[in-house]
Amino acid sequence: MALVVMKFGGSSVADADKIKLVASRVVEKKKAGNKAVVVVSAPGDTTDQLFAMAQNITSNPPDRELDMLLATGEMISISLLSMAINFMGQKAISLTGPQAGIIADTSYTKARIKKVNPKKIKAMLAKDNIVVVAGFQALNAKGDITTLGRGGSDLTAVALAAQVHADFCEIYSDVEGVFTTDPRVVKDARKIEYISYDEMLELAGSGAQVLQSRSVEIAKKFGVEIHSRSTFSQNPGTIITSEENIRRKNMEALLVSGIAFDKNQVKFTIIDLPDIPGIAAKIFSRLAKVGVNVDMIIQSAAVNKKNDISFTVSKQELKKTQIELDKLAQELKASQVICDEHVSKISVVGIGMKSNAGVAGKMFEILHKKGINIEMISTSEIKISCIIDERDLTIALEELHKGFGLSKK
Ligand code: ADP
Ligand code: ASP
Ligand code: MG
């Protein structure tokens, strides 16, 4: 008998038929002799619709009230799913995040889980219940409901799996697992059998939506094995585990395991900044203060004691960034601030890069052959990212996917 956490995303609980299908998969797991904790997201686009409802009232809703609203989406799913499981003859009980003992810090809309008190879940499991928990929501020290950031139900599932000592955590979505790139964009993408936490972390952080990156971080920290699978098929999915586990299975590390992309980027350039110490510190600490997360940064070489700095932020932070940069440009006597909304980031990821120096050169060569201009570059031990014109994204993705031998044979 295993204890399994099963998480179903919004596309899996989008309507009554899908909720019944999810219920049957959960019941199947229970009847096979397992105990199950089930985490669900809000149905379909509910979270987006709730956001839109708030925007219809005000463009700047108080974060506490926004969280109160957003948390309602997941409550629709837990109650309906529990009803469906009960109807199929198994005992099920729904719990909100706070009822399930998920405690977060005091920030709203992007709260971080501080601890999980699984007492109630364990008691319910002991009474032979299937426990259905609302993803994405938690309770803070003020007694308020908070939410964990977009895609946060993955995080709820992994955090619960760690605390109840589940044998593994299954994350069900509308794709059969983690693919070499988004299978909706590149038809030739292949399902990956095993992938290490570190590679998955880089892919998720670079835009591969299939798993939320903080959930992978927590999985790595607590050694939770994640199985990424499809709600709509019985095929085996992808196992996300440690590099050592993968090596033990004699799987050879590929040079590149996957390619991710992010269309949600904006590039800012500040022209003619004074080339003196403290300028970068001033710009980026001011942006941090207003809550802007900066991704890639480059600084040009100085000419006539002046240089330019370019960096990227996510599209949601465009307005905040623009307002702050206009003030900074005046203070620092820069000549201009340019904003380019038509860029995308493309990233190749693989642990094989650790021992092979040729990957960056090969990536640049593949892009060059298609006449694609690279606007910015950043690297980590196992990832190379480039900012390119968004119009070049699809071709870049297809060519890199082919060029690194990831396409179906
Ligand atoms: P859910 O609503 O179930 O949480 P998501 O929409 O968050 O599901 O994640 C699944 C989607 O992730 C897929 O529909 C697919 O388009 C996208 N995706 C992006 N990159 C990848 C990848 N490398 N492998 C699989 N799916 C990916
Ligand atoms: N419903 C939330 C969202 O859409 C959380 C999740 O789906 O994981 O982001
Ligand atoms: Mg998701």
Side-chain angles (χ1 to χ4, degrees):
M1 187 183 74
L3 170 56
V4 186
V5 173
M6 307 170 83
K7 180 259 169 179
F8 294 88
S11 49
S12 303
V13 291
D15 58 39
D17 285 339
K18 288 188 173 139
I19 291 174
K20 289 177 192 168
L21 176 68
V22 166
S24 68
R25 296 216 63 163
V26 173
V27 167
E28 198 181 295
K29 183 78 70 186
K30 181 80 180 14
K31 283 190 172 161
N34 305 293
K35 283 189 178 293
V37 176
V38 183
V39 174
V40 272
S41 295
D45 298 330
T46 303
T47 308
D48 291 331
Q49 286 164 12
L50 291 169
F51 255 116
M53 284 168 79
Q55 292 293 315
N56 287 340
I57 302 287
T58 160
S59 63
N60 194 17
D63 285 342
R64 180 189 182 277
E65 305 311 324
L66 188 60
D67 273 353
M68 189 68 103
L69 176 69
L70 295 182
T72 61
E74 270 64 17
M75 290 176 62
I76 299 172
S77 304
I78 51 167
S79 46
L80 293 176
L81 181 60
S82 297
M83 289 176 202
I85 296 171
N86 276 303
F87 182 74
M88 288 174 190
Q90 291 289 329
K91 273 169 60 178
I93 182 164
S94 63
L95 299 177
T96 63
Q99 286 177 318
I102 298 168
I103 310 296
D105 64 10
T106 48
S107 57
Y108 296 94
T109 73
K110 275 183 228 148
R112 297 185 80 89
I113 294 180
K114 284 189 76 173
K115 67 171 194 236
V116 178
N117 176 1
K119 217 171 114 191
K120 188 158 180 138
I121 293 183
K122 284 185 173 164
M124 293 297 156
L125 285 173
K127 288 187 181 153
D128 209 33
N129 283 289
I130 292 166
V131 184
V132 182
V133 179
F136 182 50
Q137 48 176 255
L139 184 72
N140 71 15
K142 294 183 189 165
D144 289 340
I145 284 204
T146 60
T147 64
L148 306 173
R150 297 310 300 267
S153 298
D154 293 351
L155 180 62
T156 303
V158 174
L160 282 179
Q163 292 307 316
V164 301
H165 305 292
D167 292 85
F168 48 88
C169 178
E170 294 182 321
I171 304 227
Y172 288 83
S173 71
D174 56 354
V175 281
E176 282 196 358
V178 180
F179 283 66
T180 47
T181 190
D182 189 338
R184 292 189 197 291
V185 180
V186 177
K187 292 289 164 250
D188 238 9
R190 272 188 296 128
K191 185 164 68 188
I192 299 169
E193 201 179 344
Y194 288 93
I195 190 164
S196 66
Y197 292 123
D198 288 335
E199 287 169 300
M200 193 61 234
L201 205 51
E202 293 280 21
L203 284 174
S206 307
Q209 205 192 332
V210 61
L211 288 175
Q212 190 229 30
S213 59
R214 268 166 67 200
S215 73
V216 184
E217 229 176 280
I218 298 297
K220 180 182 177 186
K221 186 168 167 191
F222 291 96
V224 174
E225 194 169 277
I226 300 179
H227 299 185
S228 163
R229 309 188 52 179
S230 166
T231 305
F232 309 102
S233 124
Q234 294 285 352
N235 291 338
T238 301
I239 294 180
I240 297 104
T241 185
S242 66
E243 213 177 311
E244 298 77 61
N245 275 348
I246 295 176
R247 235 183 281 124
R248 243 179 265 132
K249 295 192 191 311
N250 278 331
M251 308 280 291
E252 202 185 326
L254 295 170
L255 202 52
V256 167
S257 313
I259 306 180
F261 57 89
D262 184 358
K263 297 182 183 175
N264 193 32
Q265 297 250 320
V266 190
K267 185 175 95 172
F268 280 97
T269 304
I270 319 172
I271 310 275
D272 286 341
L273 284 161
D275 184 37
I276 51 170
I279 297 295
K282 180 154 194 173
I283 295 170
F284 295 108
S285 57
R286 282 271 289 275
L287 289 173
K289 225 180 220 165
V290 293
V292 170
N293 263 322
V294 173
D295 186 3
M296 281 184 173
I297 305 175
I298 52 169
Q299 178 175 312
S300 68
V303 179
N304 298 330
K305 295 217 169 339
K306 289 194 181 293
N307 61 25
D308 307 336
I309 289 183
S310 297
F311 59 89
T312 60
V313 300
S314 73
K315 283 203 168 118
Q316 287 85 340
E317 289 173 354
L318 189 154
K319 271 240 166 68
K320 260 199 278 187
T321 310
Q322 185 87 61
I323 292 169
E324 207 53 35
L325 286 189
D326 287 344
K327 286 191 247 165
L328 277 163
Q330 268 200 345
E331 287 169 34
L332 301 173
K333 300 193 171 50
S335 63
Q336 209 185 348
V337 175
I338 303 170
C339 166
D340 183 355
E341 289 182 60
H342 302 288
V343 294
S344 292
K345 182 170 78 171
I346 187 158
S347 308
V348 302
V349 173
I351 35 178
M353 275 182 216
K354 282 188 195 173
S355 50
N356 193 310
V359 181
K362 185 165 174 177
M363 179 177 190
F364 304 154
E365 190 54 36
I366 291 170
L367 295 175
H368 161 68
K369 272 203 183 122
K370 287 285 151 186
I372 296 170
N373 188 39
I374 300 169
E375 298 179 26
M376 296 170 102
I377 301 167
S378 76
T379 60
S380 78
E381 202 182 14
I382 61 166
K383 178 185 76 177
I384 303 157
S385 302
C386 294
I387 293 287
I388 57 173
D389 188 315
E390 66 179 10
R391 286 169 300 188
D392 293 327
L393 181 63
T394 309
I395 183 85
L397 201 53
E398 282 168 356
E399 290 299 316
L400 289 170
H401 195 259
K402 239 189 321 192
F404 282 107
L406 298 177
S407 300
K408 284 180 185 142
K409 297 285 179 295

